[in-house]
Amino acid sequence: MTAVETRDVLVVGAGFGGLYSLYVLREAGFHVTAVERGSGVGGTWYWNRYPGARCDVESLQYSYSFDDDLQQDWEWTERYAGQPEILKYAQHVSTRFDLTDLIDFNTNVESMNYDAEQQQWTVSTNSLTYKAKFVIAATGCLSSTNLPDFPGLEQFEGDTYHTGRWPHEKVDFAGQRVGIIGTGSSAVQAIPVIAAEAAELTVFQRTPNYSIPAHNKPLDPSEQNEVKSRYEELRSAARAERSGILSIFPPNEDLAREASDAEFEARMNERWDYGGFGFYRSYIDIVVDPQSNERVAEYVRGHIASKVDDPATAALLSPSNTIACKRPCLDTEYYETFNSEHVHLVDISETEIQAITPTGVSVNGQEFEFDALVFATGFDAMTGALLGMNITGVDGCTLAEAWAEGPRTYLGLSVPKFPNLFTVTGPGSPSVLTNMIMAIEQHVEWIRDCLVAMRDEQIATIEASSDAADSWVEHVNAIADQTLYPSCNSWYLGANIPGKTRVFMPLIGFPAYAERCEQVAANNYEGFALA
Ligand code: NA7
């Protein structure tokens, strides 16, 4: 018989959300454990070890703010930290705050059932069964990989890799013919690095992406010290930003559609040369006004044309869709990589991949031979990991049933019919449209305060009301509908997964969201049923 462990709170996941949950709940006196399917901490940064993997939020911001000694002691080495450094940071946090012993590694949740009579969850895993009053799903937004069902996939005789499940050992592509499918953020980062090693690299592109130079560089110690000396002020200024991210370019109210050619060019050039997402803060109407959006898109297409020698390749790499309505990419020499003779671009926009064969890929009757295939095909974002846990709430309602029409949460934190279950950066919260670590801190602190209040008031259960969730989903989509975000087939909308219901999942605007969460708590958790 499987052993049963009892906890006040079970946390699922030991990425940044899980680690911080463990920390605050233990400090608040709860008996808490995390289960983690990996053999170490880090979540996204544990799995995404592909060549070139790097965060697109600057390292001095993509870090915890809850402990000043931590943020003062930790030294980042680059403007944008690479995966190995972020993983080391996560490991350091786990060790520094004695969290590692609170984590059961190599533990995969197989199902989760709520017992309304006992008012507790039973969480079955591949090893132990846990009973817990509360469950916190800190399962990440981009953690359930999407591997399309390519016919013949299992026949391929070479090595296959998914960027989101990269092996821990170094993969050596030297001398190999490598094929990569996908041109999203992961591919845009991986392609230049794989190209530097492989004998031949063939990129299969279904939709081109806009990418802005990262201009990554070693961090200047004086810049780092300057930020550290003002960390509190800068962190709170970041929380007041719509994206929770500060840029050296202050926000402005200017409209791209009104700028003269000279003004527009000068401003865009300045942002392009600096690199990073500050580019998109050049004008406030980029994601709301199609004409302004097209002006910025055309500016980027101009850069692609000037970077790529072959005009036909440049044209193929140039997107025509709305800029920034898919997650924008940051790159290091992405477009330039296609100037190398051993790098080939195959357009599959009209003729999808027909089959994976024992020796390679077949497209439109043409065979491409490879020693290795890389799937940079993304994730079942925001809902995949939650749905993968086979969760059943009250009245036998499964999460899959509850979300048949798309994810339905209140505040991105809670789902009707699933009492005492919290989601960290769940669908309906700002999550992926912000600095994730900042969003995680806000969510986890809200959950901690809620659990402490429940303990103090002797409240056993909390459950989002159906009406509150309906209005919340409407609110999230109404805000998105004021923008151009819903106009692309993005993973924000679930449009990258065949059959997935299209609902805009992240909420635009961190500060108003955080304020709303505070109001809800102050108004005795309005929108929730407490029992
Ligand atoms: P993305 O951004 O979802 O990119 C996945 C890529 O894979 C994208 O180019 C897709 O083309 C392509 N794709 C997906 N399915 C197929 C099939 N069936 N055939 C051909 N091509 C396909 O995932 P990433 O991992 O790059 O990035 C995820 C996030 O991680 C990123 O936004 C950052 O926040 C970090 P499509 O565009 O759908 O035509």
Side-chain angles (χ1 to χ4, degrees):
M1 219 178 94
T2 319
V4 177
E5 296 275 328
T6 304
R7 298 287 182 274
D8 295 331
V9 188
L10 188 77
V11 174
V12 185
F16 284 116
L19 288 175
Y20 191 46
S21 301
L22 284 175
Y23 173 72
V24 298
L25 293 174
R26 181 194 60 199
E27 297 305 293
F30 292 99
H31 187 199
V32 58
T33 286
V35 289
E36 164 57 54
R37 68 188 156 154
S39 59
V41 300
T44 293
W45 303 102
Y46 171 92
W47 297 104
N48 284 267
R49 297 165 185 250
Y50 62 84
R54 190 173 290 289
C55 189
D56 52 14
V57 176
E58 296 191 26
S59 49
L60 287 167
Q61 299 195 55
Y62 190 81
S63 47
Y64 287 120
S65 68
F66 72 87
D67 185 276
D68 194 47
D69 288 341
L70 169 67
Q71 64 183 6
Q72 295 298 333
D73 291 350
W74 184 264
E75 298 284 331
W76 293 102
T77 64
E78 292 178 273
R79 177 178 173 189
Y80 295 98
Q83 175 272 334
E85 189 170 20
I86 303 175
L87 182 60
K88 228 186 261 170
Y89 173 73
Q91 290 163 342
H92 170 78
V93 169
S94 186
T95 309
R96 181 176 180 128
F97 296 101
D98 297 321
L99 304 176
T100 315
D101 287 347
L102 301 179
I103 305 167
D104 291 344
F105 293 105
N106 305 309
T107 304
N108 196 33
V109 172
E110 290 171 347
S111 67
M112 247 166 73
N113 295 285
Y114 186 69
D115 180 340
E117 222 159 86
Q118 299 294 319
Q119 298 175 324
Q120 70 180 359
W121 284 96
T122 300
V123 180
S124 307
T125 73
N126 54 320
S127 50
L128 302 175
T129 294
Y130 302 81
K131 289 195 183 287
K133 210 162 171 245
F134 298 95
V135 172
I136 298 180
T139 41
C141 293
L142 296 162
S143 45
S144 174
T145 50
N146 169 41
L147 181 58
D149 194 10
F150 294 115
L153 179 59
E154 64 300 331
Q155 296 175 32
F156 183 64
E157 286 165 1
D159 298 321
T160 56
Y161 307 94
H162 191 290
T163 49
R165 282 286 173 282
W166 205 262
H168 288 208
E169 313 71 48
K170 157 119 181 76
V171 176
D172 187 3
F173 289 121
Q176 294 204 356
R177 297 161 305 167
V178 181
I180 180 164
I181 300 172
T183 48
S185 253
S186 303
V188 162
Q189 292 184 335
I191 285 167
V193 184
I194 297 177
E197 200 174 289
E200 298 284 333
L201 177 65
T202 302
V203 179
F204 294 92
Q205 173 187 271
R206 189 164 67 178
T207 318
N209 254 309
Y210 297 96
S211 186
I212 306 301
H215 293 312
N216 185 38
K217 56 178 187 187
L219 255 188
D220 180 352
S222 63
E223 186 190 335
Q224 178 146 210
N225 291 338
E226 154 71 10
V227 169
K228 287 184 173 180
S229 71
R230 300 171 51 216
Y231 239 146
E232 208 180 315
E233 168 203 339
L234 294 172
R235 298 280 199 190
S236 94
R239 285 184 206 108
E241 290 285 338
R242 190 176 73 176
S243 65
I245 300 171
L246 283 181
S247 156
I248 63 150
F249 301 110
N252 65 68
E253 299 288 309
D254 302 338
L255 304 176
R257 66 150 58 216
E258 289 180 354
S260 71
D261 286 349
E263 277 167 2
F264 180 81
E265 204 59 24
R267 183 174 299 185
M268 299 317 289
N269 286 346
E270 183 192 24
R271 316 271 164 145
W272 183 271
D273 293 343
Y274 184 73
F277 288 153
F279 179 83
Y280 292 102
R281 294 160 62 114
S282 44
Y283 295 97
I284 52 159
D285 55 348
I286 297 180
V287 288
V288 290
D289 179 340
Q291 193 179 320
S292 299
N293 188 282
E294 174 55 22
R295 196 172 185 191
V296 175
E298 185 55 24
Y299 174 87
V300 177
R301 288 193 285 263
H303 275 283
I304 298 171
S306 68
K307 280 169 185 258
V308 180
D309 299 339
D310 172 38
T313 306
L316 276 182
L317 288 167
S318 290
S320 56
N321 58 320
T322 308
I323 189 165
C325 73
K326 280 189 172 184
R327 171 85 174 194
C329 304
L330 296 188
D331 74 278
T332 301
E333 311 267 298
Y334 172 64
Y335 295 115
E336 294 85 338
T337 300
F338 292 89
N339 294 333
S340 298
E341 273 184 13
H342 72 296
V343 178
H344 318 286
L345 182 63
V346 177
D347 175 23
I348 52 166
S349 58
E350 306 285 329
T351 47
E352 294 242 341
I353 289 175
Q354 248 168 319
I356 307 285
T357 66
T359 52
V361 172
S362 163
V363 178
N364 205 18
Q366 198 182 343
E367 298 285 327
F368 298 85
E369 294 202 341
F370 299 115
D371 303 305
L373 267 180
V374 175
F375 297 99
T377 42
F379 301 89
D380 184 355
M382 308 195 71
T383 56
L386 294 166
L387 289 167
M389 290 193 289
N390 302 313
I391 307 177
T392 306
V394 292
D395 303 331
C397 176
T398 66
L399 191 63
E401 285 160 359
W403 284 4
E405 301 300 317
R408 188 164 156 267
T409 74
Y410 180 39
L411 303 171
L413 276 162
S414 175
V415 184
K417 287 195 179 282
F418 298 81
N420 291 5
L421 167 67
F422 296 96
T423 48
V424 176
T425 65
S429 76
S431 60
V432 291
L433 293 178
T434 66
N435 173 357
M436 282 298 283
I437 298 193
M438 182 208 61
I440 282 167
E441 287 186 329
Q442 184 264 343
H443 257 197
V444 169
E445 287 164 18
W446 190 96
I447 296 167
R448 184 257 333 262
D449 293 348
C450 175
L451 296 192
V452 168
M454 289 176 71
R455 186 176 58 192
D456 292 350
E457 310 276 322
Q458 299 194 333
I459 293 166
T461 64
I462 181 166
E463 181 185 343
S465 81
S466 193
D467 288 350
D470 284 345
S471 335
W472 189 253
V473 174
E474 220 171 274
H475 171 67
V476 173
N477 280 274
I479 291 186
D481 287 341
Q482 292 165 17
T483 72
L484 301 172
Y485 277 110
S487 63
C488 296
N489 289 331
S490 69
W491 53 257
Y492 295 146
L493 264 176
N496 64 324
I497 303 293
K500 187 166 172 175
T501 310
R502 292 189 188 198
V503 174
F504 196 80
M505 294 184 280
L507 171 69
I508 301 163
F510 180 77
Y513 171 77
E515 206 181 306
R516 178 70 188 269
C517 289
E518 274 173 33
Q519 276 167 4
V520 166
N523 293 340
N524 201 22
Y525 294 94
E526 64 177 325
F528 288 97
L530 305 173

